[in-house]
Amino acid sequence: MPVKDLIKHDTYQDSVFLMRLAQEISQMEGVQVASALMATPQNKEVLKNTSLLTPDAERAGPNDLVIVVAATSATIAEEALRRAEERLVTIQVPARETGMATVLPRNLDGALRRWPQANLVSISTPGPYAAAEALKALKRGLHVFLFSDNVSLEDELMLKRRAQESDLLVMGPDCGTAIIRGVPLGFANAVRRGTIGLVAASGSGLQEVTSLIHNWGGGVSQAIGTGSRDLHGEIGGISMRMGIDALQEDDDTKVLVLLSKPPEPRVASAILDHIATACISVVVCFLGGDPADIQARDALAATTLEEAAWLAVCLSQGWDMTSPLPSEDLSDTAAAQRRGFSPEQRYISGLFSGGTLCYEAMLILQRVGRIPYSNVPLRPEWAWSPSRPVASDLILDLGSDEFTVGRPHPMIDFRTRLAYLKGAGQDPQVRVILLDVILGYGAHPDPAGELAPAIADAKDRAGAEGRSLAIVASICGTDDDPQGFLAQKEKLQRAGAVIAPTSAQAARLAVAIAVDDGAGGV
């Protein structure tokens, strides 16, 4: 298989753009694999492990952009590289059209000369270099949104302590989303402004809750991401505590929501003590945590993301707190789906792009006595790996590192999920396939368009073998998202998927379909 490369020396592009570029050229007919990345030692190791490290790429340095394509012919690979180079040029065109300078600033100081009023910098350089850039920003008095991953815990702690001394906020590292005064950063959904402020150590969880707040009539003042490790013992929740303080002082914020997977107990206790004297209403959703610990600090405890969103909306709108959470009666849907299964079909296959949505689904399955094996298991004994097939529910976080080495995140690149969807559809023991679909800025422009053909094909193949196959999905997004919520929903429904209003309801619907009497589900 011919492998061709394109090296652009001293050319930097952020990782989000490069993920999209790789995904675009990967979809060209005849292209087998494509990567676009900065030639750091770590990224060259990724290329080596995927047999894409060409001699030119091996000689490239960390300031060089490398694009590598493996295709069925040299002509196709060269055409893919030509198109990639065109994309690198076209990202400069809007600047020319607006009359601004065509050359973007090459460093932080250049950017500050052009935008001296800026008070926040978004950083998405390769991890080993991200801490140095973040430190520069802090020294210049800037808040930091650190999208980069692969930053060491030691560097994260150093940055957050330095920021704390200067009363600055570090969101991240590995911070996927934030909304600051209505401006989305990273992956984020289009939501209306309002009075609900959120601080979250959870990217997809923050997207799910902000979207539901919007869909249920509320609005968001600020949504602060902390990075997934902020509530680890080593970091101690520095950014979450600073985010809490900032939102208490924010005139636009009247209700505070905290989101996370279970923090380390010592950190959780410190965070809850911190909110015990809060002057505004607080909702806490530490998935899998003990609600009694939260209630003991006079905060409202939510056990699911949808419950956190609903409690926040009720508080912000002055509604009765005992009002039932908006949900559809899916019992008839579940009953209608429970037809045509063979006795061997007993299991749920969950294929998630959002890590927190995956975690929430596993908790819901666990609560009704099911055993969800996973690559991110709730218990060590429920761990799964490709070399260890299991006869049980299998709930995968396809955005975790083992699935994204050398590939864009599954919110952008659907190849891995489509392959697993095909495999699950052919598994004679699988009764339900459970999916999340995440919309918003930064996500794939048409996720339903990617999934729908594979959904229809899986159901057709199962039918040809005399089996039924249920496919349940939830859509994390709003009507204002660029992909269009209703259009995405209709596309998935036409393919044969059942759409639940929230990620939690989708998991419960999957349970209701997976057992013959529907017990434990909707």
Side-chain angles (χ1 to χ4, degrees):
M1 184 169 57
V3 178
K4 298 288 183 179
D5 63 47
L6 172 66
I7 312 295
K8 305 292 286 187
H9 294 289
D10 296 320
T11 300
Y12 174 76
Q13 292 294 338
D14 70 80
S15 56
V16 175
F17 171 78
L18 294 178
M19 282 193 293
R20 288 181 176 174
L21 179 62
Q23 193 266 339
E24 285 179 25
I25 57 179
S26 295
Q27 290 184 331
M28 291 178 58
E29 186 170 353
V31 173
Q32 303 295 309
V33 185
S35 284
L37 34 74
M38 302 303 296
T40 64
Q42 291 79 7
N43 284 340
K44 286 196 283 189
E45 189 66 23
V46 169
L47 292 176
K48 182 179 179 182
N49 292 337
T50 51
S51 302
L52 292 177
L53 185 61
T54 63
D56 288 341
E58 190 165 17
R59 287 190 291 271
N63 294 322
D64 301 331
L65 169 61
V66 174
I67 303 173
V68 187
V69 175
T72 53
S73 72
T75 302
I76 291 174
E78 289 165 356
E79 173 62 15
L81 291 174
R82 187 189 65 76
R83 290 196 193 180
E85 190 161 25
E86 283 181 355
R87 288 284 289 121
L88 292 173
V89 172
T90 57
I91 62 172
Q92 301 292 339
V93 169
R96 294 193 187 99
E97 292 175 346
T98 60
M100 298 174 64
T102 55
V103 180
L104 293 172
R106 295 176 63 84
N107 54 43
L108 179 59
D109 289 333
L112 285 173
R113 282 194 292 273
R114 183 170 299 177
W115 298 288
Q117 75 281 12
N119 67 352
L120 184 151
V121 60
S122 176
I123 297 172
S124 62
T125 62
Y129 309 97
E133 294 303 315
L135 186 58
K136 287 180 192 173
L138 293 173
K139 289 179 178 177
R140 287 156 178 76
L142 301 173
H143 302 285
V144 172
F145 176 81
L146 192 49
F147 187 83
S148 308
D149 57 7
N150 293 315
V151 175
S152 70
L153 267 174
E154 292 77 13
D155 281 344
E156 179 173 352
L157 182 60
M158 177 272 295
L159 291 171
K160 290 187 171 180
R161 283 180 172 169
R162 177 64 182 257
Q164 192 175 31
E165 292 169 359
S166 306
D167 198 24
L168 296 169
L169 186 63
V170 171
M171 294 176 278
D174 197 18
C175 187
T177 182
I179 303 173
I180 305 300
R181 300 202 181 283
V183 178
L185 301 172
F187 298 110
N189 297 92
V191 300
R192 76 175 63 80
R193 298 294 306 278
T195 60
I196 301 171
L198 305 97
V199 188
S202 156
S204 59
L206 188 56
Q207 287 196 254
E208 173 79 353
V209 174
T210 53
S211 294
L212 292 176
I213 287 172
H214 174 97
N215 294 340
W216 291 338
V220 173
S221 57
Q222 323 283 348
I224 297 172
T226 67
S228 59
R229 300 183 306 199
D230 188 65
L231 300 187
H232 286 199
E234 296 87 343
I235 307 300
I238 293 175
S239 292
M240 181 163 279
R241 283 185 279 121
M242 292 189 70
I244 292 169
D245 293 341
L247 293 185
Q248 287 199 86
E249 295 172 2
D250 179 26
D251 292 338
D252 294 334
T253 300
K254 307 302 180 188
V255 177
L256 175 63
V257 179
L258 306 182
L259 304 172
S260 177
K261 296 173 188 173
E264 198 214 74
R266 177 176 58 82
V267 179
S269 181
I271 294 293
L272 295 176
D273 287 343
H274 199 69
I275 63 169
T277 58
C279 55
I280 57 177
S281 300
V282 183
V283 178
V284 180
C285 179
F286 288 162
L287 287 172
D290 185 351
D293 292 341
I294 298 166
Q295 292 159 349
R297 272 78 164 196
D298 293 329
L300 294 172
T303 58
T304 60
L305 299 171
E306 64 179 6
E307 188 180 11
W310 180 238
L311 289 173
V313 171
C314 286
L315 286 167
S316 70
Q317 302 294 320
W319 295 345
D320 182 355
M321 296 294 297
T322 62
S323 302
L325 188 148
S327 62
E328 295 179 13
D329 183 356
L330 297 171
S331 54
D332 289 344
T333 301
Q337 292 285 319
R338 284 195 301 270
R339 294 172 183 167
F341 297 116
S342 70
E344 292 75 24
Q345 287 183 277
R346 293 179 291 165
Y347 301 129
I348 299 170
S349 173
L351 305 173
F352 285 86
S353 57
T356 303
L357 305 185
C358 175
Y359 194 86
E360 181 187 50
M362 290 193 293
L363 287 173
I364 289 171
L365 268 61
Q366 182 192 31
R367 285 170 190 156
V368 297
R370 300 183 73 91
I371 298 176
Y373 279 76
S374 178
N375 59 320
V376 287
L378 297 176
R379 298 180 182 178
E381 62 269 30
W382 295 348
W384 168 90
S385 69
S387 61
R388 187 188 174 199
V390 295
S392 183
D393 294 337
L394 180 59
I395 311 298
L396 297 179
D397 174 9
L398 298 175
S400 64
D401 290 347
E402 63 266 40
F403 289 109
T404 56
V405 174
R407 288 199 168 195
H409 192 277
M411 284 169 57
I412 297 173
D413 185 337
F414 281 74
R415 286 174 294 167
T416 300
R417 185 143 69 154
L418 294 178
Y420 273 86
L421 198 159
K422 182 178 181 180
Q426 293 173 340
D427 188 336
Q429 298 185 100
V430 170
R431 180 181 288 202
V432 188
I433 296 176
L434 177 61
L435 304 169
D436 64 342
V437 180
I438 299 179
L439 311 182
Y441 303 112
H444 191 283
D446 183 17
E450 292 287 310
L451 287 167
I455 290 170
D457 184 64
K459 291 180 74 71
D460 288 345
R461 286 175 180 269
E465 296 172 2
R467 295 181 287 119
S468 288
L469 178 66
I471 298 183
V472 176
S474 64
I475 302 174
C476 172
T478 75
D479 287 340
D480 293 336
D481 279 328
Q483 297 88 350
F485 186 94
L486 289 179
Q488 292 289 302
K489 180 178 179 180
E490 290 170 1
K491 198 173 289 187
L492 293 168
Q493 288 176 322
R494 284 198 298 272
V498 178
I499 310 302
T502 71
S503 58
Q505 291 179 49
R508 289 194 289 270
L509 177 58
V511 170
I513 296 171
V515 293
D516 291 334
D517 61 359
V522 293

